[in-house]
Amino acid sequence: MEDRIATLRRAARPRKRREPARVESPDIELRMCKPADDPEIDRLAALSEVPVPYGRLVVALLDGKLVAAKPLNGDPVIRDPFVKTAHLVHLLEVRAEQLREAAPRPALLPRLLRRHA
């Protein structure tokens, strides 16, 4: 009986709250490619064993490192096979689709010429 009472007292003691484990999440950046990205895009194409894509690309950076790219022309995503990028592929595809569907903006020069005509 005394053992049972001691067990219940231990169980009733207030416990220290533990802080939830913090999970470091990497910084993710999606943006249009720049000319400075060409060497990294060449590297991704070589790692993916596909030809270097042409045209505009949406690129994904993970903690500042370019790890995946999606051509706007509809070609498949190229990515670094040594980095977990599955979660980025869907983001790249959605962003590329948004950019393809964007309404074309009228060119600036014709608008300026109409104003001053």
Side-chain angles (χ1 to χ4, degrees):
M1 181 77 163
E2 288 181 27
D3 290 338
R4 177 72 177 144
I5 293 171
T7 303
L8 292 173
R9 283 185 179 155
R10 276 194 304 273
R13 285 187 204 147
R15 294 183 184 166
K16 292 182 181 178
R17 281 193 173 184
R18 287 188 180 180
E19 290 286 325
R22 293 183 185 229
V23 177
E24 292 293 323
S25 59
D27 291 331
I28 297 172
E29 179 183 351
L30 298 182
R31 63 171 170 78
M32 294 301 296
C33 65
K34 300 176 184 177
D37 297 328
D38 287 350
E40 287 298 308
I41 292 170
D42 292 345
R43 181 184 65 82
L44 290 179
L47 289 171
S48 298
E49 298 178 346
V50 297
V52 176
Y54 65 92
R56 299 300 309 244
L57 294 97
V58 180
V59 296
L61 289 88
L62 203 56
D63 288 330
K65 181 181 177 191
L66 201 148
V67 294
K70 169 74 176 158
L72 290 182
N73 65 9
D75 286 348
V77 173
I78 59 171
R79 56 187 164 180
D80 188 335
F82 303 108
V83 178
K84 291 182 180 180
T85 55
H87 61 293
L88 299 174
V89 171
H90 180 68
L91 293 174
L92 284 170
E93 290 171 346
V94 168
R95 185 63 183 139
E97 186 64 30
Q98 290 171 342
L99 292 170
R100 279 194 297 268
E101 290 177 357
R105 295 185 342 199
L108 179 61
L109 187 58
R111 287 185 290 162
L112 290 175
L113 291 175
R114 277 184 274 167
R115 282 188 192 165
H116 298 294

